[in-house]
Amino acid sequence: MTAWQERLRPGWTYGLRWKIVLTVAGVACAVAAILGVLVHNVLTRQRVDEVRKEARQSLDAALKEYAYGTETTDGHAVLLDPVQLPGALRKLAMSGERGLMVGEQDGKAVMWAAAPAGGHVLAVSIPYASTRDHLRQMDTAILGSALLAAGSVTLAGTYFAGRISRRLRHTATVARRITEGDLDVRTGIPPGGKAAERDAVTAVAVALDSMAASLQRRLESEKRFTADVAHELRTPLTGLLAAAGLLPEGRPKEMINDRLKALHSLTEDLLEISRLDAGAEQPELAEHELGPLVERAVRATALDCEVHVVRDATVRTDRRRLDRIIANLVVNAHRHGAPPVTLTVNGPVVEIRDHGPGYPVELIDSGPQRFRTGDPGRGRGHGLGLTIAAGQAEVLGIALRFSNAATGGAVTTLRLPTAPGRGAGL
């Protein structure tokens, strides 16, 4: 899997989904907490103010009745210098001020109201336990409502985040299949409409479909052009080769034949590429010992290449097509690399290495591109040879990888499928 494919793995959308869910849940909880605190403060202040108002009224009535010697008023107990009065409230009343404070009387919560009365402290107590219970019940109701609201919003956010995540995963899967070469796949979302303008995910999917369709049209046009050019060149080339055979022997004839053979080879390469692009190549698979197969392919190139068979293996492949792959890679190593060129067989793995400037970065990242020759001053180039090798490797199910050695030089690695029931040889 390439680095680009790794970035397109759909697992990243799971992280996005939970980020959305956690964000919605956090915001919902924060809003619920803020509203709960505000409601609690308002209701508590309102309830306590009612009790305080009642206590003040009772205290005022008690002060009036005290002047007439009465110690009860409005059904509330009126006490003079009560022992259970909170010390802070007693001190306030002794200083000539009135005050209110929650305290206890006979083990029960009460609201005390106290005021000075002829050198004494006159106090009124109003039951406060029911008010406290009411406030606790109110807090429980507020907390339950806040949790219910936050949970409902979180569930709704989870649902919509799941829908977005599924659509993003589907879009990422389509993008990955396009990267792998399946240009017919689409997201299935129709273009146009107001939804595409409002929904960013839909806009991305529509843009991906448009890009895939445009790329497919360009590639199909390129394939047709390559095939048409190759077919159109083949007929005049055949005539030129026949006409060149009638020329008198000499240096001019050799030069003409040399250029015509190069042009004929280029034409055949173009035809082979057009067949690979069209998917018309069908391999004739058979079981072969890899070591002798590779040695024979290298000898056919008549180029200097050291072959080392570390460990042989029985592979299932098309001998003619494998010969083509090996020959192209060895020729490319001599043409764009530097000697010595070595080929190592280690089980079903074949490694071809030269000691030149190495492959350019764009080839390692994106694979070979037809007709690109690169900058000889900066690194090795590549033409149709590597493109054909990559296409034939795909037909044979061979994993082909381009890299550079740490000590310099280009390294091409082929991993062939082994024969069923036959592992690597010793």
Side-chain angles (χ1 to χ4, degrees), residues 73 139 174 214 216 238 261 275 291 319 347:
T73 179
D139 289 342
V174 171
S214 176
Q216 186 176 34
T238 302
K261 289 179 180 178
R275 290 194 299 270
R319 182 183 62 81

Side-chain angles (χ1 to χ4, degrees), residues 49-71:
D49 286 346
E50 291 176 357
V51 177
R52 286 176 177 174
K53 181 179 180 180
E54 183 181 358
R56 289 192 187 99
Q57 292 175 349
S58 297
L59 181 62
D60 290 340
L63 289 172
K64 292 179 181 180
E65 295 294 332
Y66 178 74
Y68 299 100
T70 305
E71 295 186 359

Side-chain angles (χ1 to χ4, degrees), residues 56-340:
R56 289 192 187 99
Q57 292 175 349
S58 297
L59 181 62
D60 290 340
L63 289 172
K64 292 179 181 180
E65 295 294 332
Y66 178 74
Y68 299 100
T70 305
E71 295 186 359
T72 61
T73 179
D74 298 334
H76 300 305
V78 179
L79 303 175
L80 192 64
D81 295 326
V83 178
Q84 297 180 358
L85 186 68
L89 184 58
R90 183 188 302 276
K91 184 176 180 181
L92 180 66
M94 293 296 293
S95 65
E97 300 289 338
R98 294 186 181 190
L100 299 169
M101 181 176 291
V102 176
E104 290 188 358
Q105 184 180 21
D106 299 329
K108 298 179 180 180
V110 295
M111 173 71 77
W112 288 99
H120 297 280
V121 176
L122 182 66
V124 175
S125 63
I126 298 177
Y128 191 74
S130 61
T131 301
R132 180 174 292 175
D133 293 339
H134 176 75
L135 292 177
R136 288 175 180 172
Q137 293 173 1
M138 179 186 66
D139 289 342
T140 302
I142 292 174
L143 178 61
S145 300
L147 291 177
L148 180 60
S152 300
V153 173
T154 302
L155 289 176
T158 303
Y159 170 73
F160 288 109
R163 289 190 60 187
I164 295 174
S165 177
R166 285 192 297 272
R167 293 165 65 191
L168 286 175
R169 287 202 303 272
H170 176 64
T171 303
T173 300
V174 171
R176 187 174 66 255
R177 291 179 60 182
I178 292 174
T179 304
E180 294 170 352
D182 186 1
L183 298 180
D184 294 323
V185 66
R186 296 291 186 271
T187 62
I189 298 177
K194 295 183 179 180
E197 298 175 359
R198 296 194 304 264
D199 192 343
V201 178
T202 300
V204 170
V206 171
L208 179 64
D209 285 348
S210 176
M211 179 197 70
S214 176
L215 180 62
Q216 186 176 34
R217 287 193 298 269
R218 293 181 61 180
L219 289 179
E220 291 296 335
S221 177
E222 181 181 334
K223 291 176 184 179
R224 287 194 301 269
F225 175 77
T226 302
D228 292 343
V229 168
H231 281 291
E232 291 298 327
L233 286 177
R234 176 178 264 185
T235 300
L237 271 178
T238 302
L240 286 174
L241 286 172
L246 301 177
L247 294 175
E249 299 294 333
R251 181 59 180 166
K253 180 178 180 179
E254 293 178 359
M255 294 177 62
I256 292 175
N257 282 333
D258 181 64
R259 294 298 88 196
L260 286 176
K261 289 179 180 178
L263 186 57
H264 183 267
S265 177
L266 175 60
T267 303
E268 293 299 323
D269 286 347
L270 289 174
L271 286 172
E272 185 172 357
I273 288 177
S274 66
R275 290 194 299 270
L276 289 171
D277 288 342
E281 296 289 333
Q282 298 296 328
E284 298 178 0
L285 301 177
E287 294 186 7
H288 299 276
E289 295 297 323
L290 184 58
L293 202 65
V294 169
E295 291 174 344
R296 184 166 54 250
V298 171
R299 285 196 303 268
T301 64
L303 296 173
D304 186 16
C305 178
E306 300 178 9
V307 179
H308 305 285
V309 180
V310 178
R311 184 165 54 96
D312 206 351
T314 301
V315 297
R316 183 172 177 79
T317 188
D318 186 323
R319 182 183 62 81
R320 181 181 62 83
R321 296 180 189 277
L322 183 61
D323 288 347
R324 177 72 160 151
I325 295 172
I326 298 297
N328 281 14
L329 294 177
V330 171
V331 169
N332 186 80
H334 280 84
R335 181 176 298 169
H336 300 288

